[in-house]
Amino acid sequence: MNRLPALAVAFAVTFATVVSGAAVAGLVGGDGAAPAPEIENAHYTDTDLVNDRTPGEATIEMSSDAPTQTVVFDPGVDPSADQPAGPLALLGFGGPEVTARNVRPLANVLLENGHEVRVYTPESSRPAPTAGPSTGGESSPLGEELADADAFVTFRSDYSAAALDDIESFRESGGHLIVATEPSAGFDAPGAAALDGRLGTTSGPGYVYNMAENDLNYQRVYAEPTGDSSLTEGVDRAMFETVTPVGTAAAAGDVIRPIEGSQLSTTRAPTNAPVLARDDGVVVVGDSDFLVPENTQRVDNDVLIGNLADFLVENDRAGSHTAATQVGAPTPTTPAPGETNATQGPSNESTPIPEPQNATSA
Amino acid sequence: MTPRRQLAAVVVAAALLGVVVAPSVYGAASDTGDTVAVVEIEGPVTAGLADDVESELAEIRANGSVGAVVLKLDTPGGAPAASERMYKAVQRTSRAMPVIASVQATSASGGYYAMAPADDIYVLPTSVVGSIGLNAPAPAPRAPVAGPSGPDKVGTNEIEGWARQQTLADTFVNAMMAERGEEFDLSRAEVAEADVYLGTEAVENGYADEIGSLTEAVHEAATRAELGDYQVDTRETGPEGRFPILVRTDTQVVAVYATDPGYGEVEPMGLAYVHLGSVPHVDTVAQIAGSDLPAMETGANTTGTAASSAETVAGPNALGSLDGGERA
């Protein structure tokens, strides 16, 4: 009988072991080995999800057979920005907005067709922008550059009053201009309005975007010609990257407008305001990136750039280029504001084109 | 019967009885499900946070005592892959039990991505949700670098970069349309605009389902799981130490892993599912974290506004002295 306690203990230990084991398994283990079947997410495997990354190709050609013309580019180089790159450059600070790559495609096609290209890179400090009239009779360094040029492409708007006078005179004398602006120009000092005032051009606030149909980003918008013109011949569709609406004083100056579905950032409302417009000898475009090499390869940008090159050389400026080959002519004097046209007279046609001190050839 | 046989018989009987009782005990232990687990998802979405959230949710799914989950969110988003990992973990959990998301101040971009599979999204009236999109700098052409084995090893083609970014953005937007397309009162194009909405507006346009606090979200989760008396088990997540501060430059977001960072502790995020409005600009951080700020000299925490300390306006180079900078 004295074995009963031992048997009871054995029973209790065995029972407790089995039951507690089950309890622990239930608490800790649970359904830890539960299967984890794959969850189908069709939105990850949609064949349309991956965007086409083909860069495309560009063929930029001119159709004009105009004789050699001189085209001056002003990429808006700020001499004071010529600082050594610091570590913050790695984080995205600094760097010019318009680089050599921006002007290369247009400059190249001009050079390939025998025209002369100069890039205006002022070495002196940048003149302060002002909207007032010029007070002196001296020509600006830019004016000296334009004196023997036929066309002018600028990515800048904050010119001095003297330079504005020279640009206006240049235009009045038949020179052709392309003014490329950016939505970000609206955040600069208000010099742009002064240039617009001289040229009769406008640029709107904000940027155009299209959420429904775009070129790989909502700010890379498509735009199409509104009618037939020499600027848009062969262009069914162009692409602009972060473009602002532009306009001219001309009644029907618009040339290219964004496609349906485009909206304006400041209003979030649909817009079809022009992004490229022309008023006789002035073309204003609300983007300076549509002609970088990668973007020339998108839709018909290459054709548009070729047409713009034609526009530049098909100017009404009295020819001083043939004269440039003549030797022995007197050196031209610096044109005063309003006299730029006069410098293109016959007496100057025999003038070799002086290499400006503050210009480099592209 | 010998004593040895008596003992054996008793043991066998006990074992048999135990086996009979064990299933009930196991079931009682494993199926109580009387706990609502509150999983915190707070701070920038990083791989470390995703590690914790994944493991916590896996443990919750395996633990039969948890009957429902509430995600307590306060995050501006962050890394795409980390956001996707949490999305998948929440999606899998929501297949197993009720999951309610409870937004505190913000759950935007990658944070919204993570909580989208929840059964319901609770917001406070002034919570900020949305920002369904990708933040990324524009692909920029780089001067060629000699040496790498292929053209895309260093740098990329600009168009290819745009395509990759758009695919990354579409992946996010498509996932959100799949999860909440029926709730959204907006078209896909409108969702892709990546706007953020206050809680009061979010419950109107489908970005959220209910106005409610964390307590109300917990109660809803318990109700859906048909829990009677329940207890709340809060699971903290996020890596200890190396908790990044997000700051933005003019072009992108960078994660800073120290208050006095060296180069190795500043990590450009590049492509990020992040709500920029919740990430301070580096200039703002520099302004409030200037080294000659009186509060800083005494070691006080500086989470005030830039306006209150604008007398010390440091330039971008002040990135090297983010002493006590505001945490994003």
Side-chain angles (χ1 to χ4, degrees):
Chain A
M1 295 299 290
N2 59 351
R3 290 194 56 77
L4 277 178
L7 291 176
V9 168
F11 182 90
V13 168
T14 304
F15 183 78
T17 301
V18 173
V19 173
S20 63
V24 169
L27 284 171
V28 178
D31 51 353
E38 183 176 353
I39 297 175
E40 291 292 333
N41 283 310
H43 52 84
Y44 285 150
T45 55
D46 184 353
T47 54
D48 294 331
L49 175 61
V50 178
N51 288 273
D52 183 2
R53 52 191 282 170
T54 307
E57 295 181 1
T59 303
I60 303 175
E61 295 175 332
M62 291 179 66
S63 58
S64 172
D65 56 358
T68 298
Q69 305 285 297
T70 300
V71 181
V72 173
F73 284 72
D74 183 352
V77 173
D78 185 353
S80 63
D82 188 19
Q83 304 287 340
L88 287 174
L90 299 174
L91 302 179
F93 287 103
E97 290 189 6
V98 177
T99 65
R101 304 181 86 254
N102 289 66
V103 301
R104 266 296 171 185
L106 182 55
N108 281 355
V109 72
L110 289 166
L111 292 168
E112 289 165 2
N113 285 272
H115 302 286
E116 183 177 349
V117 170
R118 296 183 193 159
V119 179
Y120 176 68
T121 53
E123 294 175 352
S124 58
S125 60
R126 192 174 209 169
T130 172
S134 173
T135 54
E138 294 296 320
S139 178
S140 66
L142 177 64
E144 296 174 12
E145 190 73 22
L146 294 178
D148 46 21
D150 305 287
F152 182 44
V153 181
T154 182
F155 297 84
R156 170 179 163 187
S157 55
D158 54 340
Y159 289 106
S160 66
L164 290 172
D165 287 341
D166 293 331
I167 292 172
E168 190 174 11
S169 298
F170 178 77
R171 183 208 180 173
E172 290 171 352
S173 66
H176 277 191
L177 296 90
I178 295 176
V179 179
T181 184
E182 282 280 346
S184 59
F187 297 89
D188 295 337
L195 182 63
D196 283 343
R198 299 301 182 97
L199 299 179
T201 58
T202 63
S203 60
Y207 61 86
V208 180
Y209 67 93
N210 192 322
M211 297 299 300
E213 185 177 2
N214 56 55
D215 183 27
L216 299 175
N217 186 270
Y218 73 111
Q219 288 186 39
R220 294 169 59 87
V221 298
Y222 293 123
E224 295 176 347
T226 54
D228 295 331
S229 74
S230 59
L231 271 184
T232 58
E233 184 178 354
V235 178
D236 292 327
R237 174 172 282 195
M239 191 283 294
F240 297 90
E241 180 179 325
T242 315
V243 63
T244 192
V246 295
T248 70
D254 63 285
V255 175
I256 297 180
R257 291 174 180 255
I259 64 171
E260 187 177 352
S262 300
Q263 296 169 277
L264 184 64
S265 65
T266 52
T267 63
R268 302 299 171 91
T271 181
N272 67 345
V275 293
L276 188 150
R278 175 180 181 178
D279 180 6
D280 195 18
V282 176
V283 167
V284 57
V285 56
D287 173 33
S288 61
D289 292 321
F290 74 100
L291 36 59
V292 299
E294 288 77 12
N295 289 341
T296 64
Q297 300 161 184
R298 312 306 286 179
V299 284
D300 299 324
N301 280 25
D302 53 349
V303 181
L304 176 62
I305 292 166
N307 292 347
L308 288 172
D310 288 332
F311 160 78
L312 289 172
V313 301
E314 295 285 349
N315 57 74
D316 301 320
R317 185 97 156 143
S320 61
H321 332 286
T322 52
T325 59
Q326 298 181 22
V327 182
T331 302
T333 57
T334 300
E339 296 177 355
T340 308
N341 199 17
T343 64
Q344 307 304 314
S347 63
N348 287 325
E349 287 188 357
S350 59
T351 305
I353 298 175
E355 188 64 28
Q357 188 176 3
N358 55 3
T360 58
S361 181
Chain B
M1 186 176 288
T2 63
R4 180 180 294 271
R5 288 190 174 181
Q6 287 177 344
L7 180 62
V10 167
V11 168
V12 169
L16 289 174
L17 187 59
V19 167
V20 171
V21 175
S24 301
V25 173
Y26 178 90
S30 61
D31 290 337
T32 50
D34 61 352
T35 298
V36 176
V38 175
V39 178
E40 296 180 344
I41 302 177
E42 298 177 342
V45 173
T46 62
L49 179 63
D51 283 343
D52 276 13
V53 171
E54 278 184 331
S55 62
E56 286 291 349
L57 291 178
E59 194 279 327
I60 284 168
R61 291 194 300 272
N63 185 347
S65 69
V66 178
V69 173
V70 170
L71 307 172
K72 181 187 175 194
L73 298 118
D74 199 350
T75 171
S83 304
E84 290 167 342
R85 289 171 57 189
M86 294 198 295
Y87 165 80
K88 294 283 287 182
V90 172
Q91 185 182 48
R92 185 173 298 283
T93 305
S94 71
R95 302 284 176 97
M97 64 186 70
V99 176
I100 305 293
S102 175
V103 181
Q104 307 307 299
T106 305
S107 182
S109 203
Y112 195 89
Y113 200 156
M115 72 178 181
D119 299 303
D120 263 357
I121 295 175
Y122 274 55
V123 290
L124 298 167
T126 57
S127 297
V128 173
V129 296
S131 191
I132 298 172
L134 174 74
N135 185 266
R142 302 289 183 195
V145 177
S149 58
D152 293 324
K153 190 66 178 174
V154 175
T156 184
N157 179 281
E158 195 175 349
I159 300 302
E160 293 180 351
W162 280 118
R164 185 177 300 110
Q165 290 186 188
Q166 191 59 40
T167 298
L168 204 51
D170 288 344
T171 303
F172 187 2
V173 176
N174 288 359
M176 296 304 94
M177 295 305 295
E179 292 293 340
R180 296 190 61 89
E182 294 183 3
E183 283 84 5
F184 286 151
D185 193 25
L186 302 170
S187 67
R188 185 193 183 282
E190 289 170 322
V191 169
E193 289 182 359
D195 205 350
V196 291
Y197 304 97
L198 293 176
T200 48
E201 188 174 3
V203 295
E204 296 293 325
N205 65 21
Y207 273 63
D209 300 295
E210 298 285 347
I211 296 283
S213 66
L214 176 65
T215 302
E216 289 158 335
V218 169
H219 183 73
E220 174 64 17
T223 302
R224 292 193 180 206
E226 298 180 345
L227 307 183
D229 295 331
Y230 62 88
Q231 55 188 356
V232 176
D233 180 15
T234 300
R235 315 285 185 101
E236 293 185 1
T237 62
E240 294 184 5
R242 285 192 64 77
F243 195 74
I245 307 163
L246 295 188
V247 296
R248 60 187 163 92
T249 69
D250 290 342
T251 57
Q252 63 175 306
V253 175
V254 296
V256 183
Y257 285 91
T259 54
D260 187 13
Y263 285 120
E265 291 157 330
V266 178
E267 177 187 331
M269 294 191 73
L271 311 177
Y273 292 153
V274 68
H275 173 230
L276 275 189
S278 300
V279 177
H281 193 280
V282 64
D283 288 348
T284 304
V285 176
Q287 284 175 349
I288 66 170
S291 58
D292 55 347
L293 203 63
M296 294 308 302
E297 293 176 354
T298 59
N301 188 21
T302 59
T303 55
T305 63
S308 65
S309 57
E311 62 186 63
T312 306
V313 181
N317 286 320
L319 181 64
S321 59
L322 293 176
D323 303 327
E326 184 180 37
R327 285 185 180 272

